[in-house]
Each structure stands twice: as C-alpha cells, then as structure tokens.
Amino acid sequence: MYLEIITPDKKVFAGEVEAAKFPGTNGSFEVLDLHAPLISTLESGQVRITTSTGQEFFTVDGGVVEVLNNKIIVLAESVVA
C-alpha cells in the first residue's frame, strides 16, 4: 500500500507500507493491504506504520484519513515524528 501523511506545512511521510494503525474518533483501527474504501476522522494520538524495515510512529493532532484503491492519505492538523 502507498501512504502519504500530509500537514498544512509539509509532506511528513510518503512511501510503501505493509500496515498502518490510526487513532480514529470512534476507536483505533488498522489498515492492511486491499482494505475496503474508508474515510474517517482522527483523534489526537499515535499513528503506527509498518514498513519492510520496521515500524515508525507519528503523533498526529487530529485530522482525516482516506483509504481508496490501496492508497492511504492522511491529512493531519500537525504531526510530531
């Protein structure tokens, strides 16, 4: 899957991931390969991404995530890596 994490200031992350876990408004959820289309709001919290080289964590301050055709786009208010 291809993931982009974007803030109003810059693109924080762009690349291939195996999994991504998000702090959704109605609870955390994980997106895996070939996930169904989804749009969700995000609470402030930690985003965990799993790549072929390991895991990375980003702290987001709310935002929106869209999953469509094996591409994930996160529009975050702000991100602390």
Side-chain angles (χ1 to χ4, degrees), residues 2-3 5 8 17 34 36 43-44 55 58 60 69 71 73 79:
Y2 188 77
L3 169 68
I5 301 176
V17 298
L34 300 175
E43 292 284 316
S44 295
Q55 293 186 340
F58 301 92
V60 298
N69 297 328
K71 183 174 181 181
I73 299 175
V79 175

Side-chain angles (χ1 to χ4, degrees), residues 26-60:
N26 293 323
S28 65
F29 62 95
E30 188 165 17
V31 175
L32 301 172
D33 197 34
L34 300 175
H35 197 282
L38 167 78
I39 295 177
S40 177
T41 54
L42 298 176
E43 292 284 316
S44 295
Q46 195 171 70
V47 173
R48 181 190 75 205
I49 61 171
T50 305
T51 65
S52 58
T53 59
Q55 293 186 340
E56 290 184 54
F57 297 89
F58 301 92
T59 302
V60 298

